[in-house]
Amino acid sequence: MFKANDNFAILPESYLFSEVARKIREFREANPDKELIRMDIGDVSLPLPAVVVDAMRDAATQMGESAGFHGYGPEQGYEFLRSLIAEHDYVRRGIECIGADDVFVSDGAKSDLGNFTDLFGKNVRIAVAEPGYPVYVDANVLAGRGGQEQSGRWSNFTYIECPASAGFRPSLPNDRADVIYLCYPNNPTGVALTRDELKKWVDFALANNSLIIFDSAYEAYITDSDVPRSIYEIEGAEKVAVEIRSFSKTAGFTGVRCGYTVVPRTLRFTFDSGEPADLNKMWRRRQSTKFNGVGYVVQCAAASLYTPEGKAAVKTHVDYYMRNARLLREALVEKGWEVVGGVNSPYVWFRPTVKEGNPGSWELFQKILDTANLSSTPGVGFGACGEGWLRFTGFNTAEKTLEATRRIKELTL
Ligand code: MLT
């Protein structure tokens, strides 16, 4: 008899953002006359830049002609795009150890974050910084690495707690872990690590033979000069870190789907047998088995972002969302609430002051939804350290963000 993957039975039934979306649907059905403003998931609101649309149109035209038609592409991504990524995002920024052969074009950061777990040994110890993007935990639970769940924590994982008292910054764990998930600038808190702070993690991984999965989806939002734009700015990171990036938040690609993962050829780990395991080769093998690459039209669209027009468009998008984040941050600070983020990140993380009681994140989410008709993302959805906190996104339009700040100012909880 067919037996289903038991890990689905132990995973919470709904993914965080699906649960938020469900509650929003319920609210809309019950309140059809209310004007809800979405401040929850980090979905972008600006349309695609003209340079991207032109590139897609040209590529689509080519695809309709015998001379320009492209069938299956290379699973790793077209060389033209991988070279642009290596050259512009790494070599020109002084990171010469990364080349086109280290880059794998993907259909977005989320899929690669989940799929990369295929490369981990069955019993590896996973460490996650908490609060953190729920995919790190959920994907490893599905692969059978979680153990038992109790109060939102899994017995086999090491939680790197980043509490409010530490400014949501991570401290090195007492024990080694095989795989360490880090996301900086952080989703959800917006906290960014300085070069010195990140170096501690790279040194820890080097000393302990650990792999760092560095989720760098929000790199374009960094404004502080002492915050590295890539983990490979830190010496030795090319031996221990995989970096995952996305065009979703920089150029409006949430619906287009394109990103990339850097798996340096210099990474060296081992199989159980002690034989060397080359992750770059393994990831290529994995992708060629389970993935047929990103569409030609989409890769041409991504390539257009490396032209002067494309770079200018990315800057316009990033500046626009950062202005929104700043406005939100200011409105929340003005209320006297605890606020983090919104400086090197489009997310603002906050803890409302309430008249009485000690409400949890979901209760606060519901109150703000009901009274101000603003949705948010409950902090506890990113792990126990996020309880009592909420996240607003700067990705809505400037007009709606302004209206949201007006409602925030009037809000009493
Ligand atoms: C978020 O809101 O945290 C992200 O947009 C979700 C995602 O990228 O999957």
Side-chain angles (χ1 to χ4, degrees):
M1 189 172 84
F2 166 76
K3 290 270 175 49
N5 178 351
D6 284 331
N7 298 310
F8 279 88
I10 56 173
L11 195 68
E13 196 166 316
S14 182
Y15 177 61
L16 171 64
F17 292 102
S18 316
E19 186 57 14
V20 170
R22 191 185 65 75
K23 287 189 183 284
I24 289 171
R25 261 195 318 276
E26 264 177 25
F27 174 85
R28 283 201 159 124
E29 275 161 28
N31 303 279
D33 52 325
K34 298 261 169 73
E35 197 224 325
L36 169 75
I37 301 182
R38 294 285 302 261
M39 307 299 287
D40 53 288
I41 195 166
D43 197 3
V44 291
S45 54
L46 289 176
L48 291 174
V51 66
V52 170
V53 176
D54 288 346
M56 290 174 106
R57 194 180 289 117
D58 287 351
T61 304
Q62 286 176 45
M63 290 289 276
E65 294 162 354
S66 315
F69 175 71
H70 286 71
Y72 289 128
E75 295 91 353
Q76 189 167 352
Y78 285 102
E79 208 276 334
F80 68 81
L81 179 56
R82 291 187 291 107
S83 293
L84 285 169
I85 291 168
E87 175 64 21
H88 290 257
D89 291 348
Y90 295 97
V91 177
R92 286 197 196 177
R93 291 184 184 169
I95 304 168
E96 291 183 359
C97 58
I98 301 301
D101 288 344
D102 301 309
V103 175
F104 292 76
V105 178
S106 72
D107 62 349
K110 184 182 186 177
S111 355
D112 275 14
L113 282 163
N115 294 334
F116 212 80
T117 60
D118 278 5
L119 269 56
F120 306 164
K122 196 164 182 308
N123 298 315
V124 293
R125 182 95 192 162
I126 305 287
V128 283
E130 189 204 76
Y133 187 43
V135 175
Y136 317 144
V137 166
D138 289 8
N140 280 295
V141 169
L142 286 178
R145 299 193 187 93
Q148 312 295 319
E149 191 263 350
Q150 207 182 5
S151 312
R153 291 255 172 103
W154 294 88
S155 56
N156 288 349
F157 294 163
T158 297
Y159 288 89
I160 303 162
E161 293 189 8
C162 309
S165 56
F168 294 103
R169 307 186 95 77
S171 305
L172 294 174
N174 294 329
D175 300 319
R176 72 169 298 281
D178 299 293
V179 181
I180 303 169
Y181 284 87
L182 297 175
C183 171
Y184 291 97
N186 186 259
N187 178 15
T189 64
V191 165
L193 295 190
T194 63
R195 210 162 260 109
D196 288 348
E197 286 174 310
L198 192 54
K199 182 173 176 344
K200 286 188 195 147
W201 287 92
V202 170
D203 290 348
F204 181 82
L206 285 164
N208 290 290
N209 208 12
S210 314
L211 170 69
I212 296 178
I213 302 291
F214 193 69
D215 179 352
S216 181
Y218 301 94
E219 160 273 328
Y221 289 86
I222 293 169
T223 56
D224 288 346
S225 57
D226 63 343
V227 172
R229 305 282 299 262
S230 162
I231 194 164
Y232 304 119
E233 286 182 33
I234 313 292
E235 204 186 323
E238 72 283 0
K239 297 189 187 131
V240 289
V242 163
E243 182 162 275
I244 299 186
R245 290 203 182 163
S246 161
F247 298 111
S248 288
K249 314 292 160 93
T250 54
F253 273 44
T254 50
V256 174
R257 309 305 312 146
C258 195
Y260 63 86
T261 292
V262 180
V263 190
R265 284 157 296 169
T266 39
L267 290 173
R268 284 292 180 274
F269 292 95
T270 53
F271 292 106
D272 244 0
S273 61
E275 290 292 305
D278 177 338
L279 264 57
N280 177 285
K281 256 171 127 174
M282 288 164 66
W283 184 237
R284 192 171 315 120
R285 181 72 177 83
R286 189 268 173 214
Q287 293 296 76
S288 54
T289 304
K290 296 194 183 178
F291 186 54
N292 257 336
V294 175
Y296 176 68
V297 173
V298 169
Q299 292 195 56
C300 289
S304 77
L305 297 171
Y306 292 95
T307 61
E309 297 83 351
K311 287 186 179 191
V314 167
K315 181 165 179 349
T316 305
H317 279 220
V318 168
D319 288 351
Y320 180 90
Y321 297 130
M322 279 308 282
R323 233 182 350 262
N324 289 346
R326 203 164 41 244
L327 281 178
L328 289 166
R329 187 185 158 85
E330 283 166 8
L332 294 162
V333 167
E334 204 179 299
K335 288 190 83 67
W337 292 359
E338 284 177 81
V339 185
V340 182
V343 176
N344 291 297
S345 149
Y347 295 126
V348 185
W349 177 248
F350 63 99
R351 185 192 182 91
T353 310
V354 292
K355 277 191 298 222
E356 59 190 43
N358 191 18
S361 299
W362 280 106
E363 199 183 323
L364 290 163
F365 162 90
Q366 197 63 49
K367 272 196 177 159
I368 296 176
L369 186 61
D370 292 337
T371 48
N373 308 151
L374 298 174
S375 62
S376 55
T377 307
V380 71
F382 299 96
C385 280
E387 183 59 290
W389 290 72
L390 296 159
R391 190 196 74 178
F392 273 152
T393 162
F395 286 119
N396 211 323
T397 63
E399 296 72 27
K400 288 196 176 162
T401 305
L402 200 62
E403 169 60 14
T405 59
R406 199 191 56 71
R407 295 187 195 176
I408 290 166
K409 284 175 189 163
E410 285 174 3
L411 188 61
T412 321
L413 294 170

